[in-house]
Amino acid sequence: MAALLPLAGVPGASPAGAQPNPLIATDLEVVTITDRSVILTWTTVAPDQAGRLAPVPADAEVLLAPADAPHELVPVFGDTQETPFHYAEIDGLEPGRAYRFEARSRGVRAVPALSLTTLSPGSPECMGEFTTLVPPPGRPLRTVALANDVHYGEQVSGILVDSLPPGFRQDVPPYPEVMLAALLDDLRRPDRGADLLLIAGDLTSEASLGDARAVRAHLDSWGTMGTDYLVVRGNHDRPHVGPDYAACQPAPADHHDCFADAFTPRQQLLEHELGGLRLLGLDTSELDGSGGTIDRPQFDVLTERLRADPDRPTLVFGHHPVTVESGLTNLAGPGFVLNGRDSAELQALYARSPGVFLQHSGHTHRNRRTRPDTAAAVEFLEVAAVKEYPGGYSLLRLYEGGYMVNFYKTRTDAARRWSTVTRGEYFGLLPDYTLGTTADRNHVVLRDFSGLG
């Protein structure tokens, strides 16, 4: 049975002063580190009358100083608007410089949760220190947002199979709508400034016509498909069998494809150009099942496009991860990623196409980079889900001399609340699986993009 949302109707709305025990500031995460900014998140809680930890509103403060400076930390961020779910963004930092920091609420220092990711030796949360990135050389060119796994229409989050482990739900408003709205709100703000949004599959929960049309309407209210955003389908968006799907386009073996009615046909390569940058979207969905496949006609078109212009800077996005490492390290095992035959052929194709520099995938709901299985100089990047903790997207910032990747949590009040709730998925182990290391979330790669417009 799914667990009900634990934050509604509990004493977490009462002021901290009403709590009999001291405030606790926990879940500290140094989420985003760019060349000139850092973003910290944490949660404030206190025991309620039954002794359970409940969210408690409090203020927020961040103190900072260069790590090589002898003086004390100085306040660089303050927010007197009290909330249990804190999000602090500090700008104006120097590239490539180490900084010491503390995050506080009502004078209580925020500490990491009992998570291997943030308590590992050398992590910024454990050390109280981070180092900003050094951006690639040359002028900035474009910013592309990478997102996946909205699961529009889903009612319970965090279930793997047969109602286990216990999941979380929020019916009003439905959490997929909350998190999609937060994503779109973020990307329109000037401090993010994405030129294009790529969504790598699982836009819907089970690809009903109503859900496919509803998520399309949300996206269309934000921008234009093919200009402002591009989508490919995931395994949840595949054709289905049953009377609820009979009104949609017919597909093989008595299936019907409602996703195609709202978006694009199945197993069709998506092609787009942005200032000389080639974007190729792969439909890796199977007709039945959660694993990944690329049908021969789509593979042939992809091969033709890359063979015709192998050196053009190319970003590929598709739902299923590709590498052997991804298959061995995700919770569902090798059958959850692109099948071995297609993976080997795809990576061999990339090895002959030096312009391909990154493949963006979803499906695993985690931030992780995995090693290619060939000598291809391609980054295989998995991005955490929009719909649940850590709840966000990555920005790919292109420069003449390379690119910078940064993961961002969405930051509306409702999104921060739901992301905190869903930390409890997988019996509280979700952060260890999905957040990823600092380097998975934030890194720079040098490449020659001087020919891009």
Side-chain angles (χ1 to χ4, degrees), residues 391-432:
Y393 57 93
S394 286
L395 288 184
L396 174 74
R397 295 183 172 96
L398 293 166
Y399 295 74
E400 289 178 314
Y403 62 86
M404 179 165 57
V405 171
N406 297 108
F407 178 78
Y408 291 84
K409 291 182 180 180
T410 50
R411 51 187 158 164
T412 65
D413 291 342
R416 286 151 58 183
R417 182 177 188 271
W418 178 249
S419 290
T420 303
V421 168
T422 50
R423 289 180 64 93
E425 291 181 11
Y426 301 176
F427 303 107
L429 298 176
L430 188 66
D432 281 325

Side-chain angles (χ1 to χ4, degrees), residues 195-197 222-230 272 274:
D195 298 299
L196 184 68
L197 166 63
W222 177 82
T224 302
M225 188 169 74
T227 302
D228 300 304
Y229 72 90
L230 306 173
H272 185 75
L274 181 67

Side-chain angles (χ1 to χ4, degrees), residues 41-373:
T41 63
W42 68 96
T43 309
T44 44
V45 297
D48 63 14
Q49 293 179 348
R52 299 170 301 183
L53 291 178
V56 174
D59 63 356
E61 181 183 32
V62 175
L63 298 92
L64 194 73
D68 57 0
H71 55 71
E72 297 291 326
L73 301 178
V74 296
V76 294
F77 175 90
D79 189 355
T80 58
Q81 184 173 349
E82 297 193 341
T83 177
F85 317 112
H86 304 281
Y87 185 106
E89 184 165 0
I90 296 95
D91 295 309
L93 306 180
E94 296 181 34
R97 190 163 192 184
Y99 290 88
R100 295 176 290 120
F101 73 94
E102 282 187 17
R104 300 175 182 171
S105 288
R106 300 201 175 182
V108 176
R109 181 175 180 175
V111 297
L114 297 178
S115 166
L116 296 176
T117 302
T118 51
L119 284 178
S120 62
S123 70
E125 297 86 357
C126 188
M127 299 293 293
E129 184 175 310
F130 65 88
T131 301
T132 52
L133 300 179
V134 177
R139 61 190 176 91
L141 300 173
R142 300 279 180 179
T143 299
V144 179
L146 311 176
N148 42 265
D149 294 281
V150 176
H151 289 227
Y152 198 97
E154 185 178 88
Q155 297 180 351
V156 182
S157 182
I159 291 178
L160 292 177
V161 61
D162 295 333
S163 299
L164 291 174
F168 295 84
R169 67 183 304 144
Q170 174 180 289
D171 299 323
V172 183
Y175 62 85
E177 297 181 28
V178 167
M179 301 306 282
L180 176 59
L183 166 71
L184 299 178
D185 173 78
D186 241 37
L187 296 180
R188 282 298 189 219
R189 297 195 193 186
D191 55 359
R192 301 295 181 259
D195 298 299
L196 184 68
L197 166 63
L198 307 182
I199 306 182
D202 279 5
L203 282 82
T204 67
S205 174
E206 291 300 333
S208 72
L209 184 58
D211 288 342
R213 287 178 172 171
V215 74
R216 173 70 189 269
H218 275 273
L219 291 167
D220 284 348
S221 69
W222 177 82
T224 302
M225 188 169 74
T227 302
D228 300 304
Y229 72 90
L230 306 173
V231 304
V232 294
R233 79 173 74 206
N235 58 297
H236 281 266
D237 306 316
R238 69 192 184 279
H240 283 62
V241 176
D244 293 340
Y245 300 89
C248 299
Q249 293 186 24
D254 298 323
H255 293 69
H256 287 83
D257 193 353
C258 297
F259 190 83
D261 285 345
F263 291 100
T264 55
R266 182 176 172 271
Q267 284 289 327
Q268 185 175 95
L269 183 71
L270 179 68
E271 303 175 66
H272 185 75
E273 183 175 314
L274 181 67
L277 173 68
R278 178 168 54 187
L279 301 158
L280 298 176
L282 291 172
D283 181 345
T284 57
S285 64
E286 296 179 345
L287 191 59
D288 291 296
S290 59
T293 190
I294 304 173
D295 288 356
R296 178 46 52 191
Q298 183 181 198
F299 229 137
D300 289 344
V301 175
L302 174 66
T303 301
E304 178 186 340
R305 297 297 185 270
L306 292 179
R307 182 185 296 146
D309 195 357
D311 297 314
R312 175 182 292 207
T314 301
L315 187 162
V316 182
F317 66 111
H319 188 61
H320 290 83
V322 173
T323 65
V324 169
E325 181 185 349
S326 182
L328 294 175
T329 58
N330 81 80
L331 288 177
F336 200 60
V337 303
L338 191 67
N339 69 67
R341 180 198 66 240
D342 291 346
S343 170
E345 183 175 350
L346 185 65
Q347 293 189 66
L349 179 59
Y350 290 168
R352 301 190 300 271
S353 309
V356 179
F357 65 91
L358 184 142
Q359 173 143 355
H360 157 220
S361 302
H363 197 44
T364 57
H365 297 200
R366 63 181 180 175
N367 291 308
R368 186 168 181 128
R369 291 186 292 171
T370 61
R371 296 182 299 273
D373 306 311

Side-chain angles (χ1 to χ4, degrees), residues 19-43:
Q19 301 295 336
N21 293 310
L23 186 79
I24 300 170
T26 185
D27 301 341
L28 175 68
E29 292 173 356
V30 182
V31 181
T32 311
I33 305 171
T34 75
D35 55 332
R36 296 188 177 274
S37 64
V38 66
I39 297 175
L40 317 176
T41 63
W42 68 96
T43 309

